[in-house]
Amino acid sequence: MTITPTDLADLLAPEERTDLAQLEGRIRAGWQRFVEVGEALLTIRDRRLYRESHRTFGDYCEVVWGWSRQRAQQLIDAAATTHTLASTVGVQPENERQARELKEAARIVEGLEPEKVIAVAKYLKTATGSDKPSTSQVRAAAEVAAAIDAHGTVAHPDTGAEVPLHALTGEQRAAALVENVTTGTYERLQRQQQHIQESLQANSTGRGGWTDWCMTYAAQHLTDDQELVIRVFRDESGNPQAQAQVQLTGTGNVLVFGERAPYLKKAVLNLVEEVKG
């Protein structure tokens, strides 16, 4: 919705008009460079550079770019996720889709203690043998690191004996964390792969509907310590979202998950797609 500004506060200063033109130029030139687009949108939103011609950021996105506010938020989130992972664990998502899939991993990494971040970064750099680890590797490593109890025990890096983590020296603790992240991530990825392979061998599709698929999948593939969960929540823009995932009942550790979606059926179908590879 385009407006005619009547409040002087809505008028842009000359330097703001210049900034807006430059930012919009980055968006036009950066359709494939999602990080630049997301960062430009974030600046326009936070500085309210749209206010002279549009009442809300959502109106601005729809009129100028043909995007919903939700779509603009996805681009902003993808840019933020990329910045977080690149600056902490050295992971650079290859595209916007991968950045969206790594959003939860980035959130976990942001909450880790510095020495755990370093352990995750070392695992992703050395243990994976690649400069471009998979989404599953990044998320699993972040979750494993987050689950390490600072007051729990770990294998001593020199003797192998179980000792309290807090009792180790700084260098020993760093080595123990890397070892725990490496071993724990490997074991978790193995469980994920085993679960997916067992699902593929049975090749179940349910009786036609997505709700039937959930029940058939549970009956044929879930063990006593696993559960299929559909999470319903509000995203950063206040829009309802759903995500279907298979996780361990006791710990909540995720074995496999589908991409989030704006409604339940699509969330489940995203999980189906992920399971079938």
Side-chain angles (χ1 to χ4, degrees):
M1 178 184 297
T2 302
I3 65 171
T4 300
T6 57
D7 190 333
L8 290 178
D10 290 334
L11 293 174
L12 296 180
E15 61 272 18
E16 288 182 314
R17 289 199 181 93
T18 299
D19 290 345
L20 177 60
Q22 291 176 345
L23 292 165
E24 290 184 337
R26 288 171 59 187
I27 294 173
R28 291 189 182 93
W31 297 110
Q32 300 302 318
R33 298 192 293 273
F34 68 94
V35 175
E36 291 185 13
V37 172
E39 290 176 343
L41 287 169
L42 177 62
T43 301
I44 292 171
R45 186 196 68 183
D46 288 354
R47 292 177 57 188
R48 297 184 63 246
L49 296 179
Y50 58 81
R51 67 184 185 275
E52 189 173 74
S53 57
H54 299 87
R55 294 187 185 281
T56 67
F57 179 63
D59 290 340
Y60 166 78
C61 292
E62 291 178 3
V63 173
V64 176
W65 305 111
W67 296 331
S68 65
R69 194 186 192 290
Q70 180 181 5
R71 172 60 183 144
Q73 187 63 48
Q74 287 180 334
L75 288 162
I76 291 172
D77 289 344
T81 293
T82 299
H83 175 74
T84 295
L85 293 178
S87 62
T88 55
V89 295
V91 172
Q92 181 79 33
E94 295 183 359
N95 49 54
E96 184 201 342
R97 177 184 175 86
Q98 187 179 40
R100 292 204 307 269
E101 292 173 346
L102 285 169
K103 180 179 178 180
E104 179 62 18
R107 184 193 66 78
I108 295 173
V109 168
E110 282 187 306
L112 294 178
E113 297 90 339
E115 59 184 2
K116 289 185 179 181
V117 173
I118 293 173
V120 171
K122 286 187 176 180
Y123 163 77
L124 294 175
K125 184 66 175 178
T126 59
T128 65
S130 171
D131 290 332
K132 298 179 180 179
S134 69
T135 301
S136 296
Q137 287 173 323
V138 178
R139 178 162 176 166
E143 290 178 342
V144 168
I148 296 175
D149 186 356
H151 300 287
T153 60
V154 295
H156 193 288
D158 298 327
T159 66
E162 287 292 316
V163 296
L165 177 61
H166 64 79
L168 297 176
T169 65
E171 185 175 346
Q172 291 173 336
R173 187 166 58 249
L177 285 172
V178 172
E179 178 63 26
N180 273 261
V181 169
T182 300
T183 302
T185 303
Y186 174 79
E187 293 175 350
R188 180 171 299 193
L189 291 173
Q190 286 294 103
R191 290 196 300 270
Q192 290 178 1
Q193 189 60 33
Q194 181 181 0
H195 185 82
I196 291 174
Q197 288 301 320
E198 290 173 352
S199 302
L200 289 173
Q201 290 173 4
N203 193 30
S204 70
T205 58
R207 293 191 293 274
W210 63 274
T211 54
D212 287 333
W213 182 89
C214 290
M215 301 307 293
T216 303
Y217 186 89
Q220 295 185 0
H221 306 304
L222 297 185
T223 61
D224 292 341
D225 64 341
Q226 298 172 354
E227 57 188 2
L228 193 161
V229 175
I230 301 177
R231 300 172 51 237
V232 179
F233 53 94
R234 294 175 63 183
D235 64 17
E236 295 78 3
S237 301
N239 299 309
Q241 294 283 303
Q243 184 174 44
Q245 59 191 42
V246 178
Q247 64 186 39
L248 297 179
T249 304
T251 63
N253 292 340
V254 178
L255 296 175
V256 60
F257 64 94
E259 190 174 350
R260 61 171 60 181
Y263 51 95
L264 296 178
K265 179 179 179 181
K266 178 60 176 173
V268 172
L269 293 180
N270 286 345
L271 176 62
V272 175
E273 182 180 348
E274 183 67 25
V275 168
K276 291 184 177 181

